[in-house]
Amino acid sequence: MTGGALFGHRLATLLAKRRAKTAERPDVLAKAINRLGPSWVKMGQFLATRPDVVGAEIAVDLSGLQDRMATFPESLARAEIEASLGRPIDDLYARFDPPVAAASIAQVHPAEVMGETGLRKVAVKVVRPGVRQRFQRDLEVFYLLSELQERFIPSSRRLRPVEITRTLEQTTRIEMDLRLEAAALSEMAENTKDDPGFRVPAVDWERTGRDVVTMEWIDGIKMSDVAGLKAAGHDLDTLADTLIQSFLRHTLRDGFFHADMHQGNLFVDPSGQIVAVDMGIVGRMGKMERRFLAEILYGFITRDYRRVADVHFEAGYVPARHDPASFAQAIRAIGEPIHGQPAETISMARLLTLLFEVTELFDMETRPELVMLQKTMVVVEGVARTLNPKFNMWKAAEPVVGGWIRDNLGPKRIAGDIREGAIAAFKLAEQLPELAARTRAFVTEVGTMAENGLRFDAATSEAIGKAEARHTRSGRVALWIIAAALVWLALAIHPIW
């Protein structure tokens, strides 16, 4: 079957399954995508993070993709590890067991290694053989779909479908290199080493390569097992608060957060600490985006809707041709109903979802980092509410968000901006001699051009000749117009000197 026919067949299958969806089978779309294979599961998971692209209803359906795939043979996993690390399995691990879980990109094996204090249990994550080649083939179909969407559905261009596909390609390629997941775990460990109640597994770098990452085995209870957490004596209300505070701390303080914090990736160890695993997908936010987020939240809390609107315009997220007062009116339509609700029913994630829906009316271009943040916040807040149905998002978030706002939107922010501006000015001053030399050389060259006309070396003349031979008559006219413009520019500048 050709690529186009295969694409048409798969798309028709998905549409048919979508129409067949009923209340009794709400996960039919997720099941249909699972049958298409690992690449399509990854695409579905990615689109589940983009309700601005596929719509809220389909995004909810796609969120049911659990990324649970059939395991591949242990012999293939052993071969992948030995090829990646260049050492026999028996030299790397004292014991290597069959897989306990498998996803679209990799599967996990329990194992043991001999350390200074004796045997210790580890988790070994191994890339699925052939997944890169299959993903590359399917990616061509994804690009075709996004290009057709941009060409024939003008309203979708604001969402930049091709750019979304390119983002999927980049994030998945990163996810397929397990060294980068290990690096993310290491960075998160450094950022959170002094944080209360949260940590990530330690990485065994000696046994980590492109196709394998070895990390600490986590003996804990999954957050999806609420009954198990209660039976173990954990305080569920405290866990809910710690989870949301940790996520906001990573986002606002570090600008680096775990972007796949569903219940299956969160454990509670015997000491009561939350341990987050599987950091193949992470999000980053620059300082401007963090200020943007904090000012939005602060504006809603204080009911300063004009400030929320102004932040959007100052950041350049909403085109300047729109009226800030009208945008503030739309923001008020979101904020006022929320202020009439009990605190425990107010959802920060829902607020951001409504905000992104309103911004579409004002031609706000998609901001992938903000959409990923919103998606992750929806998931994290949902996990917190399963632990504590009366979870008060604002009360739990205040110590982190309030502290960050006080430190970064008040006098400390001004002092920090002045310090950063001074550093930037100092760096510019260091470069002034080089800039002056370059400017002087440019002025000399322009003056010479004005005095003696344009001169080309032999290589340039030959290149122009070949280009001239290749181009049509209109192309030759355009080439000489450019040359004439250069001469005119040189003559116009020359009288200055």
Side-chain angles (χ1 to χ4, degrees):
M1 187 177 290
T2 64
L6 178 62
F7 164 72
H9 170 73
R10 288 180 168 177
L11 180 59
T13 300
L14 285 181
L15 290 175
K17 293 296 183 182
R18 175 65 186 154
R19 293 191 184 100
K21 179 181 174 185
T22 64
E24 289 76 23
R25 296 186 62 195
D27 59 345
V28 67
L29 181 60
K31 289 180 177 178
I33 293 176
N34 266 316
R35 285 196 292 270
L36 292 177
S39 303
W40 292 82
V41 169
K42 190 54 60 180
M43 169 61 93
Q45 289 178 316
F46 181 75
L47 290 178
T49 71
R50 301 301 302 268
D52 58 320
V53 175
V54 298
E57 182 184 353
I58 293 179
V60 170
D61 294 346
L62 293 175
S63 67
L65 287 167
Q66 296 297 311
D67 205 8
R68 293 171 183 165
M69 310 294 292
T71 61
F72 55 87
E74 183 182 334
S75 59
L76 293 180
R78 288 173 174 266
E80 288 286 326
I81 294 171
E82 291 181 345
S84 182
L85 301 180
R87 294 168 60 187
I89 284 285
D90 293 340
D91 288 353
L92 294 164
Y93 306 101
R95 196 187 84 245
F96 188 84
D97 293 339
V100 293
S104 58
I105 288 178
Q107 70 183 24
V108 177
H109 295 255
E112 287 185 345
V113 299
M114 181 60 70
E116 295 179 356
T117 58
L119 288 174
R120 58 185 173 88
K121 192 173 182 180
V122 295
V124 184
K125 186 174 180 179
V126 189
V127 164
R128 185 177 291 273
V131 69
R132 293 185 181 88
Q133 294 79 0
R134 179 163 184 176
F135 179 76
Q136 187 60 43
R137 290 195 302 270
D138 289 341
L139 193 64
E140 296 174 5
V141 178
F142 301 157
Y143 270 115
L144 173 61
L145 176 60
S146 59
E147 288 165 2
L148 289 174
Q149 185 179 358
E150 283 197 3
R151 180 177 301 178
F152 296 110
I153 309 178
S155 61
S156 72
R157 293 170 188 163
R158 180 186 72 87
L159 302 173
R160 300 181 290 182
V162 174
E163 183 63 29
I164 289 171
T165 305
R166 191 172 292 115
T167 301
L168 168 68
E169 178 181 13
Q170 179 185 12
T171 56
T172 305
R173 289 188 188 282
I174 290 174
E175 197 174 350
M176 289 177 182
D177 189 334
L178 298 186
R179 293 170 299 189
L180 299 182
E181 179 178 349
L185 285 166
S186 177
E187 182 176 352
M188 181 66 75
E190 288 184 7
N191 291 343
T192 62
K193 63 181 184 295
D194 296 323
D195 290 356
F198 182 93
R199 70 184 183 92
V200 294
V203 175
D204 184 339
W205 284 102
E206 180 186 351
R207 298 169 179 83
T208 294
R210 187 188 71 156
D211 298 329
V212 56
V213 57
T214 303
M215 67 191 80
E216 170 192 1
W217 181 270
I218 302 301
D219 281 317
I221 303 170
K222 280 191 176 183
M223 274 201 166
S224 57
D225 184 5
V226 176
L229 293 172
K230 287 182 178 178
H234 295 296
D235 186 329
L236 301 191
D237 293 354
T238 299
L239 287 175
D241 289 351
T242 300
L243 179 64
I244 199 68
Q245 289 173 0
S246 297
F247 170 70
L248 291 172
R249 191 177 292 115
H250 305 159
T251 302
L252 293 174
R253 181 193 65 194
D254 307 324
F256 178 66
F257 59 91
H258 190 317
D260 198 18
M261 292 181 72
H262 60 76
Q263 291 171 313
N265 286 339
L266 296 170
F267 292 80
V268 179
D269 69 15
S271 68
Q273 280 195 313
I274 297 172
V275 186
V277 301
D278 194 1
M279 286 194 64
I281 304 175
V282 296
R284 291 188 184 274
M285 295 183 68
K287 182 173 290 187
M288 183 178 74
E289 286 78 20
R290 283 181 271 165
R291 287 181 178 176
F292 171 74
L293 172 65
E295 291 217 52
I296 285 177
L297 297 177
Y298 188 69
F300 275 109
I301 292 171
T302 60
R303 303 174 74 175
D304 188 351
Y305 304 118
R306 182 55 189 258
R307 180 57 191 152
V308 176
D310 288 343
V311 169
H312 280 77
F313 282 87
E314 290 169 8
Y317 293 160
V318 176
R321 65 178 178 273
H322 290 289
D323 178 21
S326 296
F327 188 60
Q329 179 183 353
I331 297 299
R332 180 180 291 273
I334 298 173
E336 286 303 297
I338 288 177
H339 278 282
Q341 298 179 26
E344 63 268 18
T345 67
I346 298 176
S347 167
M348 187 183 296
R350 176 62 177 163
L351 184 151
L352 291 178
T353 300
L354 294 173
L355 179 63
F356 292 153
E357 290 176 358
V358 167
T359 56
E360 181 179 358
L361 301 176
F362 291 83
D363 303 317
M364 175 176 166
E365 287 196 354
T366 298
R367 304 291 304 186
E369 71 280 3
L370 295 179
V371 176
M372 179 175 282
L373 170 74
Q374 179 262 341
K375 171 262 179 184
T376 309
M377 190 174 289
V378 167
V379 174
V380 173
E381 191 172 356
V383 174
R385 291 191 188 281
T386 62
L387 298 172
N388 177 11
K390 295 184 178 180
F391 179 68
N392 186 327
M393 178 70 178
W394 299 104
K395 182 178 179 181
E398 199 285 328
V400 178
V401 177
W404 196 91
I405 288 173
R406 287 188 292 272
D407 289 344
N408 292 273
L409 301 183
K412 288 186 178 181
R413 169 189 171 180
I414 297 174
D417 288 347
I418 293 174
R419 182 174 63 254
E420 291 179 3
I423 293 173
F426 180 74
K427 290 182 178 179
L428 179 61
E430 288 181 326
Q431 298 174 7
L432 282 178
E434 182 180 354
L435 292 174
R438 290 182 179 179
T439 303
R440 188 162 49 248
F442 173 74
V443 170
T444 301
E445 290 177 5
V446 172
T448 301
M449 288 168 57
E451 291 286 347
N452 305 318
L454 289 171
R455 295 180 180 274
F456 303 112
D457 59 26
T460 303
S461 299
E462 182 180 357
I464 291 177
K466 290 180 179 179
E468 176 72 9
R470 286 195 303 267
H471 288 293
T472 62
R473 184 174 182 178
S474 60
R476 292 196 296 271
V477 170
L479 185 63
W480 285 111
I481 289 175
I482 294 172
L486 288 173
V487 173
W488 176 85
L489 178 62
L491 292 175
I493 294 176
H494 177 63
I496 297 177
W497 295 280

